[in-house]
Amino acid sequence: MADKDDPKTALRHYLQACRDDLIWKLDGLGERDARLPRTPTGTSLLGIIKHCLNVEAGYFGPTFGREFPTPEDLVPLAAQEEDPQADWYAREDETKDGLIDLYRRVGAFADETIAQLPLDAPGRVPWWGPDAPDVTLHEIIVRVVYDLARHAGQADILREQHDGAVGWQRGNTSLPRDHDWPAYVAKLTGLADRFR
């Protein structure tokens, strides 16, 4: 557990936990299953990873006057103007392992920003527009943890729907062991059906 007396360490701990959980949801999946759209809006497990790595690169890069060392690996804002979903799917020339590696490199880059700046360091999010308020590093870390946690929840559901793999974290499903899930689902369905 993170040092509760050091807010930056605690925030960094939760940020890394979200990253690890997102990557873990791709364990054991081949390219097709990682890329396959699983919602009516095309969300895929690998698309979530690509979106999250671009989110982190932006919030911990240009927001604080830093540029990711290989910006050509990221989805530029101009590409998102052309295709608003450009950061939500893997192109044919991108691989699952390649995007996971890129996400780890983006994480290290973001961690450098966090290590180099105090929590009250000011920043400006370029894509929020010229009238957007200034932000602090603290606000951005919280915002990114919030964003990644939401996407980790999406990934939990997508993976469970794919092959039944469940769990909150590696080694901790947070679910009862040896539970009769079909009976539980039948019970909940019966309760819901009373409200027809």
Side-chain angles (χ1 to χ4, degrees):
M1 177 57 82
D3 179 1
K4 293 179 183 176
D5 295 329
D6 179 16
K8 190 188 275 192
T9 301
L11 290 166
R12 168 72 184 76
H13 166 80
Y14 289 110
L15 178 60
Q16 187 60 50
C18 287
R19 291 174 187 148
D20 292 343
D21 294 343
L22 282 163
I23 291 171
W24 170 53
K25 290 299 172 177
L26 290 167
D27 273 5
L29 294 181
E31 287 291 335
R32 182 181 187 279
D33 287 334
R35 296 166 176 270
L36 193 65
R38 300 189 182 278
T39 70
T41 56
T43 305
S44 70
L45 288 162
L46 192 54
I48 291 171
I49 291 288
K50 185 171 177 181
H51 171 72
C52 289
L53 75 85
N54 280 280
V55 164
E56 282 202 57
Y59 278 120
F60 292 110
T63 298
F64 296 100
R66 299 186 71 223
E67 184 176 355
F68 187 65
T70 56
E72 66 277 5
D73 291 338
L74 304 172
V75 177
L77 288 178
Q80 291 182 19
E81 290 170 12
E82 204 172 292
D83 176 0
Q85 293 297 101
D87 68 332
W88 277 98
Y89 61 90
R91 298 183 319 261
E92 190 173 354
D93 63 321
E94 295 174 318
T95 65
K96 179 184 95 166
D97 290 343
L99 286 172
I100 289 172
D101 177 66
L102 178 57
Y103 193 22
R104 288 186 172 122
R105 289 187 289 128
V106 165
F109 170 77
D111 291 345
E112 288 172 7
T113 300
I114 294 168
Q116 291 173 4
L117 300 174
L119 286 176
D120 62 354
R124 182 168 284 278
V125 181
W127 56 93
W128 285 4
D131 297 330
D134 287 343
V135 294
T136 65
L137 177 62
H138 189 185
E139 290 171 309
I140 291 301
I141 297 171
V142 170
R143 181 182 186 90
V144 172
V145 168
Y146 171 76
D147 191 54
L148 298 186
R150 289 182 58 117
H151 293 312
Q154 286 178 299
D156 287 340
I157 293 167
L158 295 182
R159 184 63 192 255
E160 182 176 358
Q161 288 176 335
H162 169 65
D163 62 5
V166 295
W168 178 46
Q169 296 173 323
R170 188 184 304 270
N172 177 11
T173 67
S174 74
L175 296 171
R177 292 177 185 229
D178 302 321
H179 196 69
D180 184 348
W181 293 110
Y184 177 69
V185 170
K187 171 185 166 182
L188 297 184
T189 301
L191 285 169
D193 286 346
R194 292 180 187 164
F195 293 92
R196 287 186 179 187

PDB file of all heavy atoms in Angstrom, residues 29-53:
ATOM      1  N   LEU A  29      -4.990 -13.091 -24.465  1.00  0.00           N
ATOM      2  CA  LEU A  29      -5.796 -12.828 -25.655  1.00  0.00           C
ATOM      3  C   LEU A  29      -4.907 -12.694 -26.884  1.00  0.00           C
ATOM      4  O   LEU A  29      -3.853 -12.073 -26.837  1.00  0.00           O
ATOM      5  CB  LEU A  29      -6.601 -11.534 -25.500  1.00  0.00           C
ATOM      6  CG  LEU A  29      -7.681 -11.512 -24.429  1.00  0.00           C
ATOM      7  CD1 LEU A  29      -8.386 -10.163 -24.437  1.00  0.00           C
ATOM      8  CD2 LEU A  29      -8.677 -12.640 -24.620  1.00  0.00           C
ATOM      9  N   GLY A  30      -5.357 -13.256 -27.992  1.00  0.00           N
ATOM     10  CA  GLY A  30      -4.678 -13.062 -29.267  1.00  0.00           C
ATOM     11  C   GLY A  30      -5.062 -11.713 -29.860  1.00  0.00           C
ATOM     12  O   GLY A  30      -5.904 -10.992 -29.325  1.00  0.00           O
ATOM     13  N   GLU A  31      -4.450 -11.406 -30.996  1.00  0.00           N
ATOM     14  CA  GLU A  31      -4.694 -10.120 -31.652  1.00  0.00           C
ATOM     15  C   GLU A  31      -6.176  -9.896 -31.959  1.00  0.00           C
ATOM     16  O   GLU A  31      -6.716  -8.827 -31.698  1.00  0.00           O
ATOM     17  CB  GLU A  31      -3.889 -10.015 -32.951  1.00  0.00           C
ATOM     18  CG  GLU A  31      -2.405  -9.798 -32.753  1.00  0.00           C
ATOM     19  CD  GLU A  31      -2.039  -8.426 -32.194  1.00  0.00           C
ATOM     20  OE1 GLU A  31      -2.803  -7.456 -32.366  1.00  0.00           O
ATOM     21  OE2 GLU A  31      -0.965  -8.330 -31.581  1.00  0.00           O
ATOM     22  N   ARG A  32      -6.831 -10.895 -32.507  1.00  0.00           N
ATOM     23  CA  ARG A  32      -8.237 -10.713 -32.889  1.00  0.00           C
ATOM     24  C   ARG A  32      -9.103 -10.436 -31.671  1.00  0.00           C
ATOM     25  O   ARG A  32      -9.907  -9.494 -31.667  1.00  0.00           O
ATOM     26  CB  ARG A  32      -8.761 -11.937 -33.633  1.00  0.00           C
ATOM     27  CG  ARG A  32     -10.209 -11.749 -34.080  1.00  0.00           C
ATOM     28  CD  ARG A  32     -10.753 -12.979 -34.808  1.00  0.00           C
ATOM     29  NE  ARG A  32     -12.063 -12.713 -35.370  1.00  0.00           N
ATOM     30  CZ  ARG A  32     -13.203 -12.753 -34.673  1.00  0.00           C
ATOM     31  NH1 ARG A  32     -13.199 -13.039 -33.381  1.00  0.00           N
ATOM     32  NH2 ARG A  32     -14.360 -12.488 -35.275  1.00  0.00           N
ATOM     33  N   ASP A  33      -8.970 -11.261 -30.639  1.00  0.00           N
ATOM     34  CA  ASP A  33      -9.815 -11.079 -29.456  1.00  0.00           C
ATOM     35  C   ASP A  33      -9.527  -9.757 -28.746  1.00  0.00           C
ATOM     36  O   ASP A  33     -10.432  -9.143 -28.188  1.00  0.00           O
ATOM     37  CB  ASP A  33      -9.653 -12.247 -28.496  1.00  0.00           C
ATOM     38  CG  ASP A  33     -10.328 -13.514 -29.003  1.00  0.00           C
ATOM     39  OD1 ASP A  33     -11.293 -13.400 -29.788  1.00  0.00           O
ATOM     40  OD2 ASP A  33      -9.889 -14.613 -28.620  1.00  0.00           O
ATOM     41  N   ALA A  34      -8.290  -9.305 -28.757  1.00  0.00           N
ATOM     42  CA  ALA A  34      -7.949  -8.025 -28.132  1.00  0.00           C
ATOM     43  C   ALA A  34      -8.551  -6.850 -28.891  1.00  0.00           C
ATOM     44  O   ALA A  34      -8.942  -5.852 -28.300  1.00  0.00           O
ATOM     45  CB  ALA A  34      -6.433  -7.867 -28.053  1.00  0.00           C
ATOM     46  N   ARG A  35      -8.660  -6.982 -30.224  1.00  0.00           N
ATOM     47  CA  ARG A  35      -9.147  -5.908 -31.091  1.00  0.00           C
ATOM     48  C   ARG A  35     -10.653  -5.925 -31.319  1.00  0.00           C
ATOM     49  O   ARG A  35     -11.231  -4.930 -31.745  1.00  0.00           O
ATOM     50  CB  ARG A  35      -8.505  -6.042 -32.475  1.00  0.00           C
ATOM     51  CG  ARG A  35      -7.047  -5.872 -32.524  1.00  0.00           C
ATOM     52  CD  ARG A  35      -6.504  -6.378 -33.871  1.00  0.00           C
ATOM     53  NE  ARG A  35      -5.097  -6.137 -33.975  1.00  0.00           N
ATOM     54  CZ  ARG A  35      -4.568  -5.030 -34.483  1.00  0.00           C
ATOM     55  NH1 ARG A  35      -5.328  -4.092 -34.975  1.00  0.00           N
ATOM     56  NH2 ARG A  35      -3.268  -4.874 -34.509  1.00  0.00           N
ATOM     57  N   LEU A  36     -11.270  -7.055 -31.114  1.00  0.00           N
ATOM     58  CA  LEU A  36     -12.664  -7.246 -31.498  1.00  0.00           C
ATOM     59  C   LEU A  36     -13.587  -6.257 -30.781  1.00  0.00           C
ATOM     60  O   LEU A  36     -13.570  -6.168 -29.553  1.00  0.00           O
ATOM     61  CB  LEU A  36     -13.096  -8.681 -31.184  1.00  0.00           C
ATOM     62  CG  LEU A  36     -14.409  -9.125 -31.809  1.00  0.00           C
ATOM     63  CD1 LEU A  36     -14.295  -9.172 -33.332  1.00  0.00           C
ATOM     64  CD2 LEU A  36     -14.789 -10.495 -31.271  1.00  0.00           C
ATOM     65  N   PRO A  37     -14.400  -5.500 -31.528  1.00  0.00           N
ATOM     66  CA  PRO A  37     -15.347  -4.588 -30.881  1.00  0.00           C
ATOM     67  C   PRO A  37     -16.369  -5.400 -30.080  1.00  0.00           C
ATOM     68  O   PRO A  37     -16.890  -6.388 -30.568  1.00  0.00           O
ATOM     69  CB  PRO A  37     -16.021  -3.854 -32.038  1.00  0.00           C
ATOM     70  CG  PRO A  37     -15.392  -4.318 -33.284  1.00  0.00           C
ATOM     71  CD  PRO A  37     -14.482  -5.460 -32.977  1.00  0.00           C
ATOM     72  N   ARG A  38     -16.645  -4.946 -28.870  1.00  0.00           N
ATOM     73  CA  ARG A  38     -17.527  -5.704 -27.977  1.00  0.00           C
ATOM     74  C   ARG A  38     -18.741  -4.909 -27.508  1.00  0.00           C
ATOM     75  O   ARG A  38     -19.478  -5.368 -26.655  1.00  0.00           O
ATOM     76  CB  ARG A  38     -16.729  -6.223 -26.795  1.00  0.00           C
ATOM     77  CG  ARG A  38     -15.589  -7.131 -27.260  1.00  0.00           C
ATOM     78  CD  ARG A  38     -14.895  -7.839 -26.145  1.00  0.00           C
ATOM     79  NE  ARG A  38     -13.801  -8.640 -26.670  1.00  0.00           N
ATOM     80  CZ  ARG A  38     -13.950  -9.850 -27.203  1.00  0.00           C
ATOM     81  NH1 ARG A  38     -15.136 -10.404 -27.263  1.00  0.00           N
ATOM     82  NH2 ARG A  38     -12.906 -10.500 -27.682  1.00  0.00           N
ATOM     83  N   THR A  39     -18.909  -3.699 -28.055  1.00  0.00           N
ATOM     84  CA  THR A  39     -20.079  -2.885 -27.721  1.00  0.00           C
ATOM     85  C   THR A  39     -20.631  -2.295 -29.013  1.00  0.00           C
ATOM     86  O   THR A  39     -19.928  -2.256 -30.031  1.00  0.00           O
ATOM     87  CB  THR A  39     -19.717  -1.720 -26.772  1.00  0.00           C
ATOM     88  OG1 THR A  39     -18.938  -0.765 -27.503  1.00  0.00           O
ATOM     89  CG2 THR A  39     -18.960  -2.183 -25.536  1.00  0.00           C
ATOM     90  N   PRO A  40     -21.860  -1.790 -28.977  1.00  0.00           N
ATOM     91  CA  PRO A  40     -22.422  -1.145 -30.171  1.00  0.00           C
ATOM     92  C   PRO A  40     -21.630   0.086 -30.630  1.00  0.00           C
ATOM     93  O   PRO A  40     -21.735   0.493 -31.780  1.00  0.00           O
ATOM     94  CB  PRO A  40     -23.840  -0.759 -29.737  1.00  0.00           C
ATOM     95  CG  PRO A  40     -24.178  -1.725 -28.657  1.00  0.00           C
ATOM     96  CD  PRO A  40     -22.885  -1.975 -27.933  1.00  0.00           C
ATOM     97  N   THR A  41     -20.807   0.661 -29.750  1.00  0.00           N
ATOM     98  CA  THR A  41     -19.991   1.813 -30.139  1.00  0.00           C
ATOM     99  C   THR A  41     -18.561   1.403 -30.472  1.00  0.00           C
ATOM    100  O   THR A  41     -17.688   2.262 -30.618  1.00  0.00           O
ATOM    101  CB  THR A  41     -19.984   2.882 -29.029  1.00  0.00           C
ATOM    102  OG1 THR A  41     -19.539   2.285 -27.809  1.00  0.00           O
ATOM    103  CG2 THR A  41     -21.361   3.495 -28.850  1.00  0.00           C
ATOM    104  N   GLY A  42     -18.291   0.101 -30.594  1.00  0.00           N
ATOM    105  CA  GLY A  42     -17.004  -0.378 -31.066  1.00  0.00           C
ATOM    106  C   GLY A  42     -15.902  -0.503 -30.040  1.00  0.00           C
ATOM    107  O   GLY A  42     -14.739  -0.679 -30.409  1.00  0.00           O
ATOM    108  N   THR A  43     -16.207  -0.433 -28.769  1.00  0.00           N
ATOM    109  CA  THR A  43     -15.170  -0.511 -27.739  1.00  0.00           C
ATOM    110  C   THR A  43     -14.537  -1.899 -27.720  1.00  0.00           C
ATOM    111  O   THR A  43     -15.227  -2.906 -27.714  1.00  0.00           O
ATOM    112  CB  THR A  43     -15.756  -0.187 -26.352  1.00  0.00           C
ATOM    113  OG1 THR A  43     -16.392   1.090 -26.416  1.00  0.00           O
ATOM    114  CG2 THR A  43     -14.672  -0.152 -25.294  1.00  0.00           C
ATOM    115  N   SER A  44     -13.203  -1.906 -27.695  1.00  0.00           N
ATOM    116  CA  SER A  44     -12.439  -3.152 -27.608  1.00  0.00           C
ATOM    117  C   SER A  44     -11.439  -3.023 -26.467  1.00  0.00           C
ATOM    118  O   SER A  44     -11.093  -1.911 -26.045  1.00  0.00           O
ATOM    119  CB  SER A  44     -11.697  -3.433 -28.912  1.00  0.00           C
ATOM    120  OG  SER A  44     -10.643  -2.508 -29.094  1.00  0.00           O
ATOM    121  N   LEU A  45     -10.943  -4.152 -26.004  1.00  0.00           N
ATOM    122  CA  LEU A  45      -9.967  -4.128 -24.915  1.00  0.00           C
ATOM    123  C   LEU A  45      -8.679  -3.418 -25.344  1.00  0.00           C
ATOM    124  O   LEU A  45      -8.142  -2.606 -24.599  1.00  0.00           O
ATOM    125  CB  LEU A  45      -9.679  -5.552 -24.434  1.00  0.00           C
ATOM    126  CG  LEU A  45     -10.831  -6.178 -23.645  1.00  0.00           C
ATOM    127  CD1 LEU A  45     -10.685  -7.687 -23.583  1.00  0.00           C
ATOM    128  CD2 LEU A  45     -10.900  -5.589 -22.243  1.00  0.00           C
ATOM    129  N   LEU A  46      -8.199  -3.696 -26.549  1.00  0.00           N
ATOM    130  CA  LEU A  46      -6.982  -3.038 -27.012  1.00  0.00           C
ATOM    131  C   LEU A  46      -7.231  -1.558 -27.296  1.00  0.00           C
ATOM    132  O   LEU A  46      -6.363  -0.717 -27.062  1.00  0.00           O
ATOM    133  CB  LEU A  46      -6.438  -3.746 -28.255  1.00  0.00           C
ATOM    134  CG  LEU A  46      -5.037  -3.355 -28.696  1.00  0.00           C
ATOM    135  CD1 LEU A  46      -4.017  -3.503 -27.562  1.00  0.00           C
ATOM    136  CD2 LEU A  46      -4.609  -4.193 -29.891  1.00  0.00           C
ATOM    137  N   GLY A  47      -8.431  -1.233 -27.759  1.00  0.00           N
ATOM    138  CA  GLY A  47      -8.782   0.168 -27.963  1.00  0.00           C
ATOM    139  C   GLY A  47      -8.749   0.957 -26.662  1.00  0.00           C
ATOM    140  O   GLY A  47      -8.324   2.119 -26.641  1.00  0.00           O
ATOM    141  N   ILE A  48      -9.184   0.339 -25.583  1.00  0.00           N
ATOM    142  CA  ILE A  48      -9.135   1.010 -24.272  1.00  0.00           C
ATOM    143  C   ILE A  48      -7.688   1.327 -23.912  1.00  0.00           C
ATOM    144  O   ILE A  48      -7.377   2.437 -23.454  1.00  0.00           O
ATOM    145  CB  ILE A  48      -9.817   0.157 -23.184  1.00  0.00           C
ATOM    146  CG1 ILE A  48     -11.331   0.099 -23.418  1.00  0.00           C
ATOM    147  CG2 ILE A  48      -9.512   0.712 -21.793  1.00  0.00           C
ATOM    148  CD1 ILE A  48     -12.060  -0.888 -22.515  1.00  0.00           C
ATOM    149  N   ILE A  49      -6.793   0.368 -24.121  1.00  0.00           N
ATOM    150  CA  ILE A  49      -5.373   0.594 -23.823  1.00  0.00           C
ATOM    151  C   ILE A  49      -4.836   1.760 -24.655  1.00  0.00           C
ATOM    152  O   ILE A  49      -4.161   2.650 -24.143  1.00  0.00           O
ATOM    153  CB  ILE A  49      -4.544  -0.685 -24.099  1.00  0.00           C
ATOM    154  CG1 ILE A  49      -4.879  -1.787 -23.091  1.00  0.00           C
ATOM    155  CG2 ILE A  49      -3.036  -0.391 -24.116  1.00  0.00           C
ATOM    156  CD1 ILE A  49      -4.371  -1.572 -21.696  1.00  0.00           C
ATOM    157  N   LYS A  50      -5.139   1.756 -25.954  1.00  0.00           N
ATOM    158  CA  LYS A  50      -4.625   2.815 -26.831  1.00  0.00           C
ATOM    159  C   LYS A  50      -5.167   4.180 -26.393  1.00  0.00           C
ATOM    160  O   LYS A  50      -4.430   5.166 -26.368  1.00  0.00           O
ATOM    161  CB  LYS A  50      -4.984   2.531 -28.282  1.00  0.00           C
ATOM    162  CG  LYS A  50      -4.369   3.532 -29.246  1.00  0.00           C
ATOM    163  CD  LYS A  50      -4.555   3.133 -30.685  1.00  0.00           C
ATOM    164  CE  LYS A  50      -4.006   4.176 -31.628  1.00  0.00           C
ATOM    165  NZ  LYS A  50      -4.207   3.805 -33.034  1.00  0.00           N
ATOM    166  N   HIS A  51      -6.440   4.232 -26.058  1.00  0.00           N
ATOM    167  CA  HIS A  51      -7.020   5.488 -25.583  1.00  0.00           C
ATOM    168  C   HIS A  51      -6.323   5.953 -24.306  1.00  0.00           C
ATOM    169  O   HIS A  51      -5.926   7.126 -24.201  1.00  0.00           O
ATOM    170  CB  HIS A  51      -8.519   5.309 -25.345  1.00  0.00           C
ATOM    171  CG  HIS A  51      -9.149   6.474 -24.667  1.00  0.00           C
ATOM    172  ND1 HIS A  51      -9.366   7.686 -25.303  1.00  0.00           N
ATOM    173  CD2 HIS A  51      -9.586   6.632 -23.396  1.00  0.00           C
ATOM    174  CE1 HIS A  51      -9.926   8.534 -24.449  1.00  0.00           C
ATOM    175  NE2 HIS A  51     -10.059   7.912 -23.286  1.00  0.00           N
ATOM    176  N   CYS A  52      -6.155   5.060 -23.350  1.00  0.00           N
ATOM    177  CA  CYS A  52      -5.567   5.439 -22.063  1.00  0.00           C
ATOM    178  C   CYS A  52      -4.119   5.897 -22.198  1.00  0.00           C
ATOM    179  O   CYS A  52      -3.710   6.851 -21.536  1.00  0.00           O
ATOM    180  CB  CYS A  52      -5.690   4.289 -21.070  1.00  0.00           C
ATOM    181  SG  CYS A  52      -7.392   4.012 -20.524  1.00  0.00           S
ATOM    182  N   LEU A  53      -3.354   5.253 -23.058  1.00  0.00           N
ATOM    183  CA  LEU A  53      -1.959   5.690 -23.209  1.00  0.00           C
ATOM    184  C   LEU A  53      -1.899   7.075 -23.833  1.00  0.00           C
ATOM    185  O   LEU A  53      -1.053   7.897 -23.466  1.00  0.00           O
ATOM    186  CB  LEU A  53      -1.133   4.657 -23.980  1.00  0.00           C
ATOM    187  CG  LEU A  53      -1.294   4.505 -25.488  1.00  0.00           C
ATOM    188  CD1 LEU A  53      -0.446   5.489 -26.265  1.00  0.00           C
ATOM    189  CD2 LEU A  53      -0.924   3.088 -25.887  1.00  0.00           C
TER     190      LEU A  53
END
